[in-house]
């Protein structure tokens, strides 16, 4: 893919990811002030990168993650925060990905949301984080992966932070048609090396573009390492920020290149090969799933849970060292 460019074309989608400075906010008024700052980022980035089609902001970039006031800062979707983002996208003719943590949920704890807004200022997707980062995150887990048609027809799938550590979530997103998986995250040290590598691995094993926006700087709890990046569908890095707050980087993603690769690659075509096992030996390959755990999980979730607990522990509470050692010895 082209690197070092600030342009795009009819065949390429210009994507920017932002190392947004982690906000420390105490009131809804401060949240809305921060939303206007994000809107200014949209405008400035579009001016600096005229090829920009999609800009991505990290998880927690809107409301932050206040250790005691997080519930007070929750909102609705649509709401006053997304209204500001919608106007910024409409005004600057760009698509944008934004974070809402959290969206009020009448049936339980709030949701952690990935919001995709188009260049007309319309909300096109509201994805709820499937695997909240336990034990610290209080968000109610979402129950489905989501993919929509994005700028210039590129298919965009949503992940939020810890979601991308679960290979099944990314694979399901890709199997719904995603050509670009966007991961918004609020990841802190000491997980820097692992999370940078995860983006490349998920891109390679799913033949998919990956765009990651991470926060940078310190809030009341953590120091976030930044390193927002854009990964090619072969797992190589197209662009990457450092660790400084408010860095922005940019890359072009070719639509025809990924579609051509998915159609023509052989040994590297991990999506085709998944359901055409051994086609060099068996005509058209074998489509039947060989993975017994996934069959069990689909048919009997409680049994699947028991299998996991037999390998780990049988309670959300972390056992004492004595209990853990005894549990392992008694297996």
């Amino acid at each position: 893919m082209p690197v070092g460019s600030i342009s795009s074309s009819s065949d390429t989608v210009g994507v920017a990811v932002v190392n947004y400075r982690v906000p420390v906010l105490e009131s809804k008024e401060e949240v809305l002030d921060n939303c206007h700052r994000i809107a200014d980022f949209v405008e400035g980035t579009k001016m600096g990168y005229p090829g920009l089609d999609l800009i991505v902001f990290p998880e927690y970039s809107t409301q932050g993650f206040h250790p005691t006031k997080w519930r007070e800062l929750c909102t609705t979707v649509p709401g006053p925060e997304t209204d500001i983002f919608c106007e910024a996208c409409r005004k600057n003719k760009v698509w944008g990905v934004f974070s809402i943590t959290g969206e009020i949920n009448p049936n339980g704890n709030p949701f952690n949301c990935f919001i995709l807004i188009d260049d007309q200022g319309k909300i096109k997707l509201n994805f709820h984080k499937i695997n909240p980062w336990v034990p610290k995150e209080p968000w109610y887990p979402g129950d489905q992966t989501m993919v929509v048609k994005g700028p210039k027809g590129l298919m965009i799938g949503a992940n939020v932070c810890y979601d991308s550590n679960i290979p099944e979530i990314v694979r399901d997103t890709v199997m719904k048609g995603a050509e670009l998986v966007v991961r918004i995250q609020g990841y802190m040290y000491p997980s820097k090396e692992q999370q940078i590598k995860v983006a490349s691995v998920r891109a390679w094993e799913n033949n998919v573009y990956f765009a990651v926006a991470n926060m940078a700087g310190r809030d009341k709890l953590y120091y976030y390492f930044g390193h927002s990046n854009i990964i090619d569908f072969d797992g190589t890095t197209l662009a990457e920020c450092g660790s400084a707050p408010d860095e922005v980087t940019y890359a072009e993603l070719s639509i025809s290149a990924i579609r051509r690769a998915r159609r023509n690659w052989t040994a590297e075509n991990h999506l085709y090969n998944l359901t055409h096992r051994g086609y060099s030996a068996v005509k058209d390959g074998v489509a039947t799933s060989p993975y017994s755990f996934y069959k069990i999980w689909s048919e009997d979730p409680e049994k699947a849970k028991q299998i996991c607990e037999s390998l780990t522990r049988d309670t959300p509470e972390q056992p004492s060292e004595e209990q853990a050692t005894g549990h392992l010895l008694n297996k």
Side-chain angles (χ1 to χ4, degrees), residues 177-196:
E179 296 166 319
L180 165 63
V181 172
V182 176
R183 182 191 196 190
I184 61 172
Q185 66 186 46
Y187 245 120
M188 69 295 290
Y189 291 101
S191 297
K192 173 185 168 184
E193 293 302 320
Q194 293 90 336
Q195 298 313 317
I196 293 172

Side-chain angles (χ1 to χ4, degrees), residues 164 280 288:
S164 295
S280 297
T288 306

Side-chain angles (χ1 to χ4, degrees), residues 39-115:
D40 288 342
F41 252 85
V42 175
E43 182 171 5
T45 305
K46 179 62 177 179
M47 291 176 65
Y49 300 86
L52 179 67
D53 297 300
L54 173 67
I55 186 169
V56 184
F57 291 89
E59 180 190 33
Y60 292 113
S61 54
T62 300
Q63 293 137 298
F65 189 19
H66 197 291
T68 59
K69 296 184 177 181
W70 58 269
R71 193 180 290 274
E72 297 174 30
L73 303 182
C74 290
T75 188
T76 58
V77 177
E81 297 84 1
T82 57
D83 287 348
I84 294 169
F85 301 151
C86 287
E87 174 59 19
C89 289
R90 186 201 62 78
K91 176 182 176 183
N92 295 287
K93 302 291 190 294
V94 297
W95 292 62
V97 172
F98 306 93
S99 169
I100 294 293
T101 49
E103 178 189 8
I104 294 170
N105 173 15
N107 299 314
N109 272 24
F111 295 111
N112 182 330
C113 303
F114 171 122
I115 307 295

Side-chain angles (χ1 to χ4, degrees), residues 312-329:
T312 56
R313 62 175 187 262
D314 57 9
T315 172
E317 300 299 324
Q318 291 177 278
S320 66
E321 184 175 349
E322 181 177 326
Q323 290 171 323
T325 303
H327 177 63
L328 293 172
L329 292 176

Side-chain angles (χ1 to χ4, degrees), residues 159-171 181-183 185 187 191-212 225 227 229-237 240:
N159 271 204
V160 180
C161 203
Y162 193 83
D163 284 338
S164 295
N165 292 337
I166 308 296
E168 293 82 0
I169 293 178
V170 180
R171 178 57 55 84
V181 172
V182 176
R183 182 191 196 190
Q185 66 186 46
Y187 245 120
S191 297
K192 173 185 168 184
E193 293 302 320
Q194 293 90 336
Q195 298 313 317
I196 293 172
K197 291 173 182 175
V198 160
S200 293
V201 170
R202 295 289 172 265
W204 167 240
E205 68 189 5
N206 290 287
N207 304 135
V208 69
Y209 291 117
F210 230 77
V212 180
F225 55 77
H227 282 268
N229 56 44
I230 303 170
I231 310 297
D232 206 343
F233 57 80
D234 66 355
T236 58
T237 300
E240 184 174 343

